[in-house]
């Protein structure tokens, strides 16, 4: 067979695959459904208007591993305080971390700040349109780059988040379990993405997964694609996408030390910039480990070498129960010890005092909020 004949056959095969996908997932049907049922979201541009790349990017970073309901108030506060890229790029990182506190996955906040600065420095404060240039920005991976390219610039890019993975896995009854199925799901998503209205199509896929093709109790009867959906035809849509059994990391344990000063201050410190909860505020803690020894906990307690009276005889008291928290890779349990020291006591090296009434302005992650609540609500 000649090279030309081989190329022709490959082209025909590709066209045939595309036709098959288009018959299964008719973009026009989904877009018509979207035009009638699109969700009203704070970051979504009104119908017929081009989305602001900054708002698209900000919302997509915030929405990673987080629900729309949780993100909405944070998004509004960020936008009010930093309405554009130059404003966010010019903000101190500590202010960004404080505004992010409670939203979780704190590396996103550091990357958000770094990305804003990169857009200002490399692209004169204007987000680039190409997926390749977007992926070169801090904290912008394949999904976020495709989402910005499609939604903000209407390029035929195919973002695939958890909602879209579920829609595509059910539409084609993809048997391979996640995470191994991700490349196949991305390939299928690209195959059904139209050249026109790609941004609306991406958002329609997100809305379909969030409202109709939900993880449980999916409303297949209302789905614009139910006639071509392989999983619906089989009657087992709820079993897709397939998943490998999740392996949870080993339990880690440790101790947290809550020190109140008699004049209304709390002892805190800032975690290292890199690593888990990087740059966030915490009360002092021991190391977190699987072999934590409660009997040795107080060896990790802060030492007040300049405390009036010489710093001796601090009567730490352990509060009943533990604070439990689950990180992505491991669960954690912290014992909580409390003590009150005299007004004016200097902070140990590496720590500082913060007014209890001003804790809300600190970059306290959810874990530390739990610790403080446990200590104050004993």
């Amino acid at each position: 067979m000649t090279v030309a004949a081989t190329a022709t056959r490959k082209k025909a095969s590709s066209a045939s695959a595309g036709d098959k996908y288009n018959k299964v997932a008719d973009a026009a049907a989904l877009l018509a459904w979207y035009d009638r049922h699109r969700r009203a979201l704070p970051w979504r541009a009104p119908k017929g208007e081009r989305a602001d790349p900054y708002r698209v990017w900000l919302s997509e970073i915030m929405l990673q591993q987080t629900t729309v309901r949780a993100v909405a108030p944070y998004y509004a506060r960020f936008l009010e305080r930093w309405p554009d890229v130059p404003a966010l790029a010019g903000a101190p990182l500590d202010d960004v971390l404080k505004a992010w506190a409670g939203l979780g996955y704190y590396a996103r906040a550091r990357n958000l700040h770094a990305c804003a600065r990169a857009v200002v420095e490399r692209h004169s404060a204007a987000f680039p349109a190409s997926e390749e240039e977007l992926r070169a920005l801090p904290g912008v991976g394949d999904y976020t780059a495709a989402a910005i390219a499609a939604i903000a610039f209407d390029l035929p890019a195919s973002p695939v988040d958890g909602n879209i993975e579920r829609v595509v896995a059910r539409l084609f009854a993809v048997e391979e379990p996640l995470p191994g199925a991700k490349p196949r799901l991305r390939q299928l998503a690209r195959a059904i993405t139209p050249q026109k209205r790609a941004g609306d199509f991406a958002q329609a896929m997100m809305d379909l997964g969030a409202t109709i093709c939900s993880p449980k109790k999916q409303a297949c009867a209302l789905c614009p694609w139910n006639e071509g959906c392989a999983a619906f035809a089989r009657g087992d849509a709820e079993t897709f996408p397939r998943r490998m059994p999740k392996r949870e990391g080993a339990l880690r344990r440790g101790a947290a030390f809550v020190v109140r000063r008699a004049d209304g201050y709390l002892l805190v410190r800032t975690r290292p910039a890199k690593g888990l909860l990087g740059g966030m505020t915490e009360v002092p803690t021991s190391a977190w480990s699987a072999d934590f020894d409660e009997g040795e906990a107080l060896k990790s307690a802060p030492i007040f070498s300049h405390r009036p009276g010489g710093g001796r005889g601090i009567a730490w008291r352990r509060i009943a129960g533990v604070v439990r928290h689950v990180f992505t890779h491991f669960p954690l349990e912290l014992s909580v010890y409390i003590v009150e020291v005299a007004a004016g006591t200097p902070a140990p090296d590496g720590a500082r005092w913060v007014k209890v009434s001003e804790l809300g302005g600190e970059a306290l992650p959810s874990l530390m909020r739990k610790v403080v609540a446990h200590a104050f609500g004993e």
Side-chain angles (χ1 to χ4, degrees), residues 84-90 114-126 137:
D84 52 31
V85 176
L88 183 57
C115 184
R117 290 191 167 183
V119 171
V120 168
E121 293 167 3
R122 303 178 200 170
H123 303 284
S124 302
L137 295 170

Side-chain angles (χ1 to χ4, degrees), residues 53-337:
Y54 173 71
R55 296 188 177 206
V56 174
W57 162 74
L58 179 61
S59 66
E60 289 298 340
I61 298 298
M62 286 187 164
L63 286 164
Q64 293 169 12
Q65 306 293 324
T66 313
T67 65
V68 167
R69 178 178 294 181
V71 163
Y74 283 87
Y75 174 82
R77 288 196 292 269
F78 262 74
L79 204 60
E80 181 178 4
R81 189 168 182 180
W82 302 298
D84 52 31
V85 176
L88 183 57
L93 174 59
D94 192 50
D95 286 354
V96 175
L97 289 171
K98 288 177 180 178
W100 191 276
L103 197 55
Y105 299 92
Y106 296 98
R108 293 180 299 167
R110 298 192 295 276
N111 285 331
L112 191 81
H113 189 252
C115 184
R117 290 191 167 183
V119 171
V120 168
E121 293 167 3
R122 303 178 200 170
H123 303 284
S124 302
F127 274 90
S130 77
E131 288 185 77
E132 182 178 2
E133 288 180 294
L134 287 165
R135 279 194 297 269
L137 295 170
V140 177
D142 291 343
Y143 165 77
T144 306
I148 297 171
I151 299 170
F153 300 103
D154 207 30
L155 297 177
S158 305
V160 180
D161 65 358
N163 280 323
I164 295 175
E165 281 182 345
R166 185 167 58 257
V167 170
V168 175
R170 289 173 175 175
L171 192 62
F172 296 98
V174 176
E175 292 289 350
E176 185 180 0
L178 290 170
K182 285 180 178 290
R184 174 62 173 157
L185 295 175
R186 286 195 294 268
Q187 177 190 31
L188 291 168
R190 283 194 298 270
I192 61 177
T193 298
Q195 292 296 307
K196 295 182 179 180
R197 294 190 66 187
D200 283 345
F201 184 80
Q203 293 175 101
M205 291 276 276
M206 296 172 188
D207 281 10
L208 188 68
T211 64
I212 298 294
C213 196
S214 52
K216 298 178 181 178
K217 296 183 180 179
Q218 61 278 359
C220 295
L222 302 177
C223 179
W225 279 348
N226 57 14
E227 291 185 4
C229 178
F232 176 63
R234 291 164 43 140
D236 60 353
E238 70 281 355
T239 68
F240 291 94
R242 309 293 201 214
R243 297 183 186 278
M244 293 291 288
K246 187 176 180 180
R247 292 192 300 178
E248 189 177 74
L251 172 68
R252 299 185 194 180
R253 298 169 57 243
F257 304 99
V258 177
V259 186
R260 293 189 69 166
R261 212 167 67 175
D263 48 355
Y265 284 79
L266 183 76
L267 188 70
V268 300
R269 65 187 184 188
T270 300
R271 289 181 64 85
K274 294 184 178 180
L276 189 63
L277 304 180
M280 304 300 287
T281 302
E282 67 172 2
V283 299
T285 75
S286 68
W288 306 341
S289 64
D291 58 355
F292 171 74
D293 182 353
E294 191 72 55
E296 302 289 318
L298 292 180
K299 290 184 177 180
S300 300
I303 298 173
F304 294 86
S305 57
H306 302 292
R307 177 175 173 263
R312 298 177 182 176
I314 291 181
W316 291 101
R317 181 165 59 87
R318 181 184 171 185
I319 298 178
V322 295
V323 170
R324 294 182 175 85
H325 192 78
V326 178
F327 290 102
T328 305
H329 301 298
F330 66 91
L332 174 69
E333 290 184 355
L334 291 181
S335 303
V336 178
Y337 291 81

